[in-house]
Amino acid sequence: MASNVIARAGANIAFIKYWGNRPGADNLPLNLSISMTLFACVTTTAAALLDENASGDEIRLDGAPPGEKSAGRICLFLDRVRRIAGRKERARVTSQNSFPTGCGIASSASGFAALAVAASAAYGIRADAAELSRIARLGSGSAARSVPGGFVELHPGSAHEESFAEPIAPETHWPELCDLIALVSREEKPVSSAEGHRLARTSEALAGRLAAIPDRAGRVRQGILRRDLALLGEAAEEDALSMHAVMLTSRPPLIYWSAGTLEAMRAVYGLRKRGIEAYFTIDAGPNVHVLTRKKDAVRVADEIAREVGCEVLTDHAGPGARIV
Ligand code: PMV
């Protein structure tokens, strides 16, 4: 067996969300997206090539074999990596999340970014950061954004070569910015984001969302570069609501929120009314991310935990995917 390559990548939180993709297997997003790679929510993945006569990939996630769906998705991804490398050997993949499995934090971004880096190295692919981001995208669109660290933009593109993520600002750019994660529910989401990306095209709200994104992305970029939380936060909140409007108007509709989601959103509005800068954003699930300043983080986390009755994790900008 070839030597073991171990890589680590952070999850990320999108300020401009990727929702909706082009038909095909390459996860080509319909719109640009912008995110912050996280520091504490990370996946560490080891990849090693098996002997030529091994009949299948051996996969363990958090100490156990994955369910059929996850296993299939990972094997398909490894097939893509093997095709790029021009090799046939199967691989052993062992992966561990720093956050509790099934706690509602999407692990596909950190998971496929770490796997892209580990597997590319194990198969001897010489890839720069842009190419690693393209490869990670084949596993999960948002994983492309976990390859660079800090503040990141993913270009949509109409072909594989065109769609990859690039840094906007490094992880050290805005140490004051915190992402508080209100764990409203620990249940697995009923509809995967892969299915949601396909359904987006059935929504009458999609065209309006796509038309609004260039202006909103401009505000997000400026908010990041100027470290202006109000500018970033208002645009990020707007974008999350716009994405959920697409979900709600898809056919069939997708409703990811729970009662706790609305309670957390109201708690954020309440904090803002009292002059505390906090803004929410929500992915394809009920959990609520709250952007706030480090100096307000304890107060904001306590208030949300009390009002919603849930655990709140604290995170901030972290480095890109790397071999450890
Ligand atoms: O990478 P996927 O297929 O899990 O899609 C990510 C979808 C959102 O988390 C809802 C938005 C985003 O840009 O991260």
Side-chain angles (χ1 to χ4, degrees):
M1 195 195 296
S3 63
N4 215 21
V5 182
I6 303 176
R8 182 168 297 148
N12 67 70
I13 180 63
F15 307 135
I16 298 289
K17 310 288 189 190
Y18 147 48
W19 197 249
N21 59 17
R22 289 170 187 269
D26 284 356
N27 294 328
L28 290 170
L30 290 177
N31 63 271
L32 70 85
S33 55
I34 300 177
S35 59
M36 174 171 81
T37 302
L38 297 177
F39 178 84
C41 294
V42 297
T43 302
T44 306
T45 299
L49 304 195
L50 297 169
D51 294 338
E52 300 231 346
N53 48 13
S55 59
D57 296 306
E58 294 173 15
I59 303 161
R60 286 184 90 77
L61 303 184
D62 285 325
E68 212 176 302
K69 247 187 169 174
S70 304
R73 197 169 162 195
I74 294 166
C75 290
L76 272 181
F77 176 75
L78 290 170
D79 286 343
R80 299 293 299 263
V81 173
R82 281 187 276 266
R83 215 172 307 149
I84 293 167
R87 296 179 68 157
K88 289 209 154 42
E89 305 97 307
R90 303 293 175 152
R92 172 176 298 148
V93 170
T94 330
S95 190
Q96 207 81 37
N97 289 327
S98 68
F99 40 94
T101 312
C103 78
I105 299 177
S107 54
S108 65
S110 53
F112 278 109
L115 181 57
V117 170
S120 296
Y123 281 103
I125 296 172
R126 272 175 217 236
D128 60 9
E131 180 60 8
L132 286 171
S133 174
R134 286 185 197 98
I135 293 173
R137 196 198 69 242
L138 298 173
S140 162
S142 59
R145 296 192 312 251
S146 277
V147 171
F151 299 85
V152 177
E153 177 160 346
L154 170 58
H155 309 299
S158 52
H160 176 68
E161 284 303 307
E162 294 167 9
S163 184
F164 59 94
E166 285 186 301
I168 294 176
E171 61 175 301
T172 50
H173 169 69
W174 194 354
E176 260 290 295
L177 183 67
C178 283
D179 174 28
L180 308 180
I181 310 166
L183 298 176
V184 166
S185 163
R186 288 164 184 265
E187 276 169 35
E188 208 180 306
K189 55 186 169 212
V191 180
S192 69
S193 44
E195 177 61 15
H197 290 303
R198 278 191 291 276
L199 283 179
R201 282 176 263 131
T202 67
S203 163
E204 64 190 32
L206 182 68
R209 166 169 171 71
L210 295 178
I213 282 181
D215 169 76
R216 197 182 291 142
R219 284 182 278 140
V220 164
R221 281 187 214 103
Q222 283 308 309
I224 291 168
L225 293 174
R226 294 186 207 155
R227 302 182 192 87
D228 182 334
L229 181 57
L231 190 59
L232 168 67
E234 274 168 28
E237 222 175 75
E238 210 175 282
D239 192 71
L241 291 170
S242 146
M243 177 183 72
H244 284 270
V246 170
M247 293 165 165
L248 288 167
T249 49
S250 292
R251 290 180 211 167
L254 279 176
I255 306 175
Y256 285 112
W257 295 355
S258 69
T261 311
L262 284 163
E263 280 166 13
M265 290 158 77
R266 289 203 183 101
V268 168
Y269 288 142
L271 283 157
R272 271 222 301 280
K273 253 192 185 150
R274 280 176 283 128
I276 300 158
E277 273 194 287
Y279 300 87
F280 63 75
T281 179
I282 307 161
D283 283 338
N287 296 325
V288 178
H289 291 249
V290 180
L291 305 172
T292 193
R293 290 184 204 286
K294 205 186 254 172
K295 70 175 176 59
D296 297 323
V298 171
R299 185 169 170 195
V300 172
D302 284 353
E303 183 144 336
I304 291 169
R306 196 166 6 104
E307 289 200 16
V308 185
C310 70
E311 193 184 335
V312 179
L313 308 179
T314 304
D315 215 333
H316 58 269
R322 65 230 172 260
I323 290 176
V324 291

